[in-house]
Every structure is written in structure tokens, then in C-alpha cells.
Amino acid sequence: DTAVSQTPKYLVTQMGNDKSIKCEQNLGHDTMYWYKQDSKKFLKIMFSYNNKELIINETVPNRFSPKSPDKAHLNLHINSLELGDSAVYFCASSQGEGERQPQHFGDGTRLSIL
Amino acid sequence: GESVGLHLPTLSVQEGDNSIINCAYSNSASDYFIWYKQESGKGPQFIIDIRSNMDKRQGQRVTVLLNKTVKHLSLQIAATQPGDSAVYFCAVFDYKLSFGAGTTVTVRA
């Protein structure tokens, strides 16, 4: 059973396009996150949502717009893709917001901008 | 904000030996710490966590040590196996999780 699943796993697209990544978790968690991992493996939080409410927005360009239709889903839409957006994007979830609980990660979406 | 650093970017260890991965953090108010393992093509996988009211916690073949005085934590892996080859991250929680840069562990047969 996949706990946190992301689609697509790979995304190759042209600069300037708009794309979306979907994430779903079946753990019953209240909080979901998006992280970006660069080519040096550095992992940085972008957004967190708790029960569909935005909690953290870490100075991400407004071309990135997360949307949470319900607490089990957190999608990421990216407008006007740029070369620097090439990275691996990870979705994660945890129980509670601000609580000291481990976050569980999906296997990532590898975004390549041509 | 929190700054998290790892002492060594790579670690090569003989199969069967013990591995130690070190991590330093900057915010003395941080009170929750996690170690993750990331294999190629996968997301970070939870290994073990520790809260600031403890200085040691053990799991299956892993031990995390926390030294709040010098703001340092370490992950010890006993009897390292080929399946332990991966990138290991420490993560520190204040209002969000901040990740260190990662240590790539390679196990030699």
C-alpha cells in the first residue's frame, strides 16, 4: 500500500509551459507538504497545508500555486516554467500541524525543463 | 532560521563495520530531530527520531545521540550492510523541518 503517492514520476517539458503535480496520502494525516530537492540533494520546504489551510509558504515564487481540495490531497501547479525549476519535487505528510511527528515522503516527481 | 550542517559529505565503510554520521544544528530552541535515509530514485525514508528531552535513542541496528550542549547529533549504524548504502539526512524541527545537506554512505564488500 502506497502511503504518499505522487504523479507523474517524471515530467519533461519546455520552458514557459504550465504543469501540475498531484499528491495523495492514505495515512489519514492532517498536514501535507511540498519540498524541492536540487541537483546537490539539498532538500527545502516550499509549502505546508494543514486541513486544507496554507500554513507555510517559504518565499516561493508566485508561479507556484499549491491547492488542497481535501486533507488527503495536495497538488502543485507551476506556471511559466523556468530552467531553474528543474529539480525533484517531493510531497510529504505528517500527523498534526506543528507537532513533533515524522514526515512521510512520496518518491518524488523529477521535473526537467528543456 | 535553523541552519543544519553535516560534517562529511561522503562516508565509505567496510561491510560489517559500524558507521557514524554526524550533524550540527544552530538553533538551541530546536526540540525534535529526525534521521532520514534516501535511496536512489526514492523519497526520504524515516529511520529514527529523538526529542530534546532525551540524549540517546535506539532502534533496530541504529542509535541516535543528541548533545544539546554543542548542538550536535549523530546516527550510528551497527554492522553496516550493503542495503545501508544511501544518502542520509538529519532534519531539525523548529517551526518547520530543516534538512542538512546529506551524507552519502557507500558500503564496501
Side-chain angles (χ1 to χ4, degrees):
Chain A
D1 288 342
T2 303
V4 181
S5 59
Q6 301 177 224
T7 54
K9 189 172 175 66
Y10 299 95
L11 189 49
V12 181
T13 190
Q14 301 274 359
M15 201 164 52
N17 284 351
D18 303 338
K19 289 293 177 187
S20 291
I21 308 171
K22 295 187 175 181
C23 179
E24 175 182 5
Q25 54 94 6
N26 63 5
L27 296 166
H29 288 165
D30 293 329
T31 307
M32 296 185 71
Y33 311 82
W34 278 110
Y35 284 84
K36 180 180 180 180
Q37 187 172 47
D38 63 21
S39 57
K40 292 186 167 64
K41 299 283 190 185
F42 186 65
L43 197 62
K44 188 171 179 188
I45 190 167
M46 300 171 69
F47 302 103
S48 77
Y49 269 72
N50 177 257
N51 278 320
K52 303 192 296 174
E53 300 273 338
L54 178 66
I55 303 299
I56 292 175
N57 180 343
E58 285 285 305
T59 60
V60 177
N62 58 15
R63 298 183 294 106
F64 291 78
S65 51
K67 292 221 171 22
S68 182
D70 55 63
K71 74 173 193 176
H73 295 83
L74 180 62
N75 304 323
L76 184 65
H77 187 77
I78 315 171
N79 288 328
S80 304
L81 281 157
E82 300 178 356
L83 290 175
D85 297 332
S86 293
V88 183
Y89 292 84
F90 287 99
C91 178
S93 72
S94 68
Q95 184 59 46
E97 182 266 321
E99 293 186 18
R100 277 64 173 158
Q101 296 288 339
Q103 294 178 17
H104 299 263
F105 286 77
D107 281 338
T109 295
R110 283 142 191 86
L111 175 62
S112 298
I113 310 301
L114 304 177
Chain B
E2 178 65 83
S3 168
V4 184
L6 277 155
H7 291 190
L8 283 176
T10 61
L11 177 67
S12 179
V13 61
Q14 187 71 36
E15 183 178 355
D17 287 352
N18 296 336
S19 304
I20 299 177
I21 307 166
N22 295 301
C23 182
Y25 61 97
S26 63
N27 187 353
S28 56
S30 297
D31 61 1
Y32 179 56
F33 308 86
I34 309 177
W35 282 100
Y36 283 93
K37 172 186 180 183
Q38 186 178 20
E39 296 174 290
S40 181
K42 299 282 189 183
Q45 177 187 1
F46 171 80
I47 302 173
I48 192 167
D49 60 359
I50 189 167
R51 287 169 171 74
S52 58
N53 60 352
M54 303 173 71
D55 52 22
K56 179 178 179 179
R57 191 162 187 227
Q58 289 184 287
Q60 189 174 10
R61 283 200 307 117
V62 295
T63 301
V64 55
L65 299 177
L66 175 63
N67 185 330
K68 295 180 287 294
T69 303
V70 295
K71 296 192 285 255
H72 178 273
L73 69 157
S74 65
L75 177 71
Q76 300 177 2
I77 306 173
T80 312
Q81 302 170 358
D84 295 327
S85 292
V87 180
Y88 290 80
F89 295 94
C90 65
V92 178
F93 186 90
D94 40 29
Y95 72 97
K96 62 180 169 81
L97 266 188
S98 296
F99 283 77
T103 291
T104 300
V105 172
T106 303
V107 180
R108 305 189 306 271

